[in-house]
Amino acid sequence: MIRDGQIDQEEMPAYSELTRRLGFEYNGMILHEYYFGNLRRGGMDRPTNGSPFVQAVERTFGHYERGKTDFCSVGMLRGVGWAICNIDPSIGLVSHHWVSLHEHGNVAGFLPILVMDVWEHAYLLDYQPHERKQYIEAFFSNISWSVVDERLQAACSAAVVPR
Ligand SMILES: [Fe+2]
């Protein structure tokens, strides 16, 4: 559409909707890549004591279990979306965010290190819609903590762009 150097009046409605939906469609793809990337069949239900992730959670919440409770509680919010543990690379602290649909609630400059899909399609084959809590428990038993640590370390070692 932009190849001829302009968006003319006839093109504007299609151009507008393609642009408006880009965050939904594109972030939906990216978040699923993070989600499946941090899953591992038969993973340990908790990270190793003293791991980079545990240290970051403890720095932020004081105790690992308190941080886990916060993340799981975010995952229990009504509606469809995502629970995301982000790292703020500029200060090395984590925070948990609810992302509605795929695009509302992402924080600029924060990087996802643990991503949980809580759209119903993520668990409807195994659980009833009201059994999201059991799905979240199962999710925690199938996490690749090494991937989470790698994301955290990569985020914190990357050059920090001043805000
Ligand atoms: Fe999904």
Side-chain angles (χ1 to χ4, degrees), residues 50-83:
S51 70
F53 176 68
V54 168
Q55 288 180 41
V57 173
E58 289 176 346
R59 266 198 309 276
T60 307
F61 291 95
H63 300 281
Y64 171 77
E65 290 299 330
R66 194 180 296 157
K68 180 182 175 184
T69 297
D70 187 59
F71 180 87
C72 293
S73 300
V74 170
M76 291 298 294
L77 265 64
R78 289 181 64 185
V80 294
W82 300 81

Side-chain angles (χ1 to χ4, degrees), residues 1-8 11-12 15 18:
M1 243 182 258
I2 198 68
R3 198 167 289 150
D4 63 358
Q6 60 185 4
I7 303 296
D8 59 36
E11 292 171 321
M12 198 58 194
Y15 181 81
L18 287 169

